[in-house]
Amino acid sequence: MVGLQPSEVPPTTVVKFLGAGTAACFADLLTFPLDTAKVRLQIQGENPGAQSVQYRGVLGTILTMVRTEGPRSPYSGLVAGLHRQMSFASIRIGLYDSVKQFYTPKGADHSSVAIRILAGCTTGAMAVTCAQPTDVVKVRFQAMIRLGTGGERKYRGTMDAYRTIAREEGVRGLWKGTWPNITRNAIVNCAEMVTYDIIKEKLLESRLFTDNFPCHFVSAFGAGFCATVVASPVDVVKTRYMNAPLGRYRSPLHCMLKMVAQEGPTAFYKGFVPSFLRLGAWNVMMFVTYEQLKRALMKVQVLRESPF
């Protein structure tokens, strides 16, 4: 450790774990209205008896929500969203490098693409298993339409939502949609982490960029686009299934088949624009913040260990 500059010290697993959760919460704070708009657009058309389309486009959805439900409505479910990120992102992003190193054969100079995909699937599945209740509550709040500032609310708050779902649907209700969510997040995690990892590595090898903001920005933007394209169909099914009342869908597969029969295959890409705007912006903010947090935390650690 002596003589190394703080930026040259590799971050520890704990630093990555804490840094990923904190960076993800920061990104969520700035992009949450886009996520809420995405959820509203994804569940639109779920009820065949709906008289008309209520939401049109990202901005139109947000403005309609503010006009009919109040200015706080785009941030409905934020607390559960932050709960989710501190547990979810900490695992899937913070543990990615450690799991990748675990799968990489000893003596290998680089991890293959297959190893990186396997690491992304592993941490994505681990994260969903731990954080699924927070995702269920977040989606319920985001999908809940409450007309007017004094409109009826099913849940009094985030903790009440956890208790109400467990009481009415059983503890299993908090893990509703786990399998489609594992599928979705395995895909998203691979697209995000592997794409970011590879793009960043190639940019550094080409010497077009150094390990700084432009490199992180380009890598994160590419990761966000890839993740949105490959994960959107699974994301729509996951949102519909998790938000559905008991008995509407027998399984995620039934939900998918019913969507195709009623709305056609384009339903799988409902909310694509807000998904990309949100995921692209989220990735840029999260990865840039994450890289800086890792350096800052390691600098503090090195300074604390320094005898001077």
Side-chain angles (χ1 to χ4, degrees), residues 21 37 63 92 154 194 199 224 255 293 298:
L63 291 176
R92 78 175 184 93
K154 184 173 183 179
V194 176
I199 293 177
C255 176
L293 275 175
M298 287 311 299

Side-chain angles (χ1 to χ4, degrees), residues 203-204 207-216 295:
L203 288 175
L204 294 176
R207 299 187 179 181
L208 293 173
F209 295 94
T210 57
D211 193 4
N212 54 18
F213 173 79
C215 177
H216 304 155
R295 295 181 181 185

Side-chain angles (χ1 to χ4, degrees), residues 17-48:
F17 188 86
L18 294 176
T22 304
C25 285
F26 175 74
D28 245 30
L29 283 170
L30 299 179
T31 62
F32 203 79
L34 293 172
D35 192 43
T36 303
K38 177 203 73 172
V39 170
R40 292 295 179 93
L41 287 168
Q42 286 178 337
I43 64 173
Q44 187 165 252
E46 188 176 22
N47 183 4

Side-chain angles (χ1 to χ4, degrees), residues 17 27 40 49 102 132 202 205 266:
F17 188 86
R40 292 295 179 93
F102 175 78
Q132 181 68 5
K202 296 304 179 184
E205 287 179 355
T266 56

Side-chain angles (χ1 to χ4, degrees), residues 102-148:
F102 175 78
Y103 286 141
T104 302
K106 292 183 178 179
D109 294 332
H110 298 284
S111 300
S112 65
V113 174
I115 291 293
R116 299 180 199 207
I117 291 175
L118 183 59
C121 289
T122 301
T123 57
M126 289 168 56
V128 171
T129 303
C130 296
Q132 181 68 5
T134 63
D135 205 13
V136 171
V137 171
K138 178 184 80 75
V139 168
R140 295 287 178 92
F141 269 106
Q142 290 177 312
M144 185 170 58
I145 299 176
R146 184 166 61 94
L147 299 179

